[in-house]
Amino acid sequence: MELQKIIANIAAIVQLVVLLGPGIQGQLLTSIPQPSNTYVQVYALPVGQGDCTIIQCPSSGDIIVFDCGSSGANRIPPSYVQTFLGNNINKVRYIFLTHANKDHYNYLYEITTWNNSSVTAVIVGGKKSDYSSANISNWLNNWNTLSKLYMVKNGMSCISGVTNCIITNVRTPTSTISTNFCNNQNIQFNILASNVGSTANQKSIVMKIVHSSWSLLLSGDMEGPAATTIAMALTTTLKSKVYKISHHGASSIANSAQWLGPIKPEQAFASSGYAYGNCRHPTCVTINRILALNTIIAATSHALYCGGNPNMNYPTFQRSIFETSPTSTTICFLTYSSAGSQPGSHCGTPPTLAASTGIIDDDMLYKDDSIDEDDCNIMSGVMEHGGALPMAAFSTLVVIMLLLSFTL
Ligand SMILES: [Zn+2]
């Protein structure tokens, strides 16, 4: 019996080394590896400014998609997600949309239209009304899985004494589903919060996955008062081994000291694009705040970019903070395992952007960009992009001076 256990452990370790060991620079993952017999595997896909986290259950290989979308350049195209999942598309059981911003859901067409029958539930953050202005509601209404559409606790916050939020069916709110998403009692999916605050981002679903002593915190674009409220209510619960940095690494509103302090992460990663657009996620302020926790462990040398004011490029960063687009020409699949080992970093140049095979990846379907676009250049523009406000003030000054010169 003991010998069998040792052999099983060795097999698991060998499998893990094969899976995570390479950390190959210059080779993107082209297909999802075989599931581990023992551990949860997590894949952060390089979608640029957006989120697409694939969670693979041990043994069964069942897949949980936690957001999948992009609003920016320097990314894999949606078709690449199909390629990556391959036949495992049939294993997609649960899809979470943390909130109603398209950089979190506009790749889902590529997943859901392939094989609806395998999806048990699509669970959305925020309230139903948040989606009414976006055509996602039309999409969901037209989609034959409306009966599979669920919301967290029927649109109410759930942080008060939460262990697991209740997830109810939208059509029949009395119908709930279990949060045992991997069908494995040893793996807990704790939805800590949803619908806290008033903006779409603030209402993001916050979920912590726990497997033995390993844990991963996923919080979409949760920010601001939501972060403070959740941190105050769940100080001890937030502690996590791996932290997917909120809101792609935004600083002043999403990763406050109150929020980061209780998490105490050993590893962290940001899903974001290199200095993409006005976002410049992750910001250096956020990276420095996380490092200041003194909990991040060492890692093999890798590139890390952070933006804001100033922008910094660390070509040989040696702490365990990674991002999916560390340079202007490089994107990385990041892989994490509940075995707790070093993350894998599978990097390469972005594949040529192929035309989307679906209709969801463009603005033809989603016309309400003011709501759908990630709000990095709206909410955080003044706070996080040092150049924005001075430039606006400077321009105004120039105009006033010109007017004065004409007047005088
Ligand atoms: Zn976002």
Side-chain angles (χ1 to χ4, degrees):
M1 196 67 179
E2 269 310 302
L3 186 63
Q4 277 182 337
K5 205 171 179 181
I6 292 168
I7 291 170
N9 283 341
I10 291 173
I13 290 167
V14 168
Q15 186 179 33
L16 196 67
V17 168
V18 170
L19 182 64
L20 300 178
I24 300 167
Q25 297 288 316
Q27 284 190 14
L28 286 174
L29 285 178
T30 52
S31 60
I32 191 167
Q34 286 295 306
S36 162
N37 287 332
T38 315
Y39 301 113
V40 178
Q41 309 292 358
V42 178
Y43 301 90
L45 272 56
V47 289
Q49 178 63 39
D51 270 9
C52 187
T53 309
I54 305 290
I55 300 153
Q56 189 184 42
C57 300
S59 192
S60 69
D62 284 350
I63 289 170
I64 299 152
V65 177
F66 200 83
D67 281 339
C68 203
S70 176
S71 62
N74 197 30
R75 56 174 174 148
I76 55 169
S79 56
Y80 207 83
V81 178
Q82 292 178 332
T83 304
F84 177 70
L85 289 175
N87 290 333
N88 288 287
I89 198 83
N90 297 324
K91 298 271 189 178
V92 176
R93 303 283 180 245
Y94 298 94
I95 298 171
F96 286 83
L97 312 180
T98 59
H99 65 292
N101 279 157
K102 76 174 184 181
D103 62 321
H104 293 258
Y105 65 71
N106 67 357
Y107 277 27
L108 288 175
Y109 183 89
E110 266 68 24
I111 297 170
T112 53
T113 52
W114 267 32
N115 188 338
N116 292 340
S117 62
S118 65
V119 178
T120 301
V122 178
I123 302 153
V124 298
K127 297 176 181 174
K128 197 175 181 185
S129 56
D130 296 334
Y131 294 87
S132 64
S133 59
N135 280 329
I136 189 168
S137 62
N138 295 337
W139 172 59
L140 290 169
N141 280 324
N142 292 329
W143 192 31
N144 64 9
T145 56
L146 179 65
S147 62
K148 298 177 181 177
L149 181 62
Y150 287 75
M151 311 195 91
V152 177
K153 210 174 179 181
N154 204 21
M156 294 171 64
S157 164
C158 53
I159 60 169
S160 178
V162 65
T163 50
N164 279 305
C165 274
I166 296 169
I167 299 171
T168 61
N169 187 288
V170 170
R171 182 184 281 175
T172 51
T174 50
S175 168
T176 63
I177 57 172
S178 164
T179 55
N180 187 7
F181 300 119
C182 269
N183 196 24
N184 181 325
Q185 296 295 338
N186 295 320
I187 303 165
Q188 297 163 359
F189 292 82
N190 295 314
I191 297 173
L192 304 183
S194 179
N195 304 320
V196 180
S198 56
T199 68
N201 282 345
Q202 290 169 5
K203 294 175 189 170
S204 290
I205 292 174
V206 179
M207 184 162 82
K208 180 180 171 183
I209 306 171
V210 181
H211 186 204
S212 193
S213 61
W214 180 88
S215 50
L216 165 67
L217 186 65
L218 302 163
S219 48
D221 284 357
M222 182 277 319
E223 63 181 26
T228 307
T229 307
I230 297 167
M232 286 172 65
L234 303 170
T235 301
T236 54
T237 310
L238 284 176
K239 190 173 184 302
S240 303
K241 290 273 187 188
V242 183
Y243 171 48
K244 194 183 88 60
I245 305 172
S246 292
H247 203 165
H248 320 286
S251 57
S252 53
I253 51 175
N255 290 287
S256 62
Q258 296 98 317
W259 170 248
L260 291 174
I263 300 172
K264 299 181 174 61
E266 294 180 12
Q267 303 171 357
F269 67 94
S271 179
S272 47
Y274 176 90
Y276 168 66
N278 293 323
C279 297
R280 299 178 187 172
H281 294 149
T283 67
C284 297
V285 171
T286 293
I287 298 299
N288 287 331
R289 274 193 202 140
I290 294 172
L291 288 173
L293 299 170
N294 287 320
T295 54
I296 296 293
I297 61 175
T300 52
S301 179
H302 58 279
L304 186 83
Y305 170 88
C306 62
N309 189 10
N311 299 308
M312 297 294 290
N313 196 355
Y314 301 98
T316 58
F317 197 75
Q318 295 184 331
R319 310 302 294 178
S320 195
I321 302 178
F322 291 81
E323 63 186 291
T324 54
S325 298
T327 75
S328 60
T329 55
T330 304
I331 58 175
C332 299
F333 276 84
L334 302 177
T335 62
Y336 290 82
S337 170
S338 66
S341 56
Q342 287 281 328
S345 178
H346 307 264
C347 304
T349 53
T352 306
L353 281 177
S356 172
T357 53
I359 54 171
I360 202 168
D361 186 44
D362 56 38
D363 293 333
M364 295 301 288
L365 186 60
Y366 298 102
K367 298 182 176 66
D368 57 339
D369 271 358
S370 62
I371 294 171
D372 264 358
E373 291 287 5
D374 192 275
D375 64 0
C376 61
N377 56 355
I378 302 170
M379 294 295 289
S380 59
V382 174
M383 299 297 290
E384 296 193 5
H385 313 305
L389 186 59
M391 185 54 77
F394 178 73
S395 305
T396 308
L397 191 63
V398 168
V399 170
I400 291 171
M401 286 174 71
L402 279 171
L403 285 172
L404 278 174
S405 67
F406 280 118
T407 310
L408 294 172

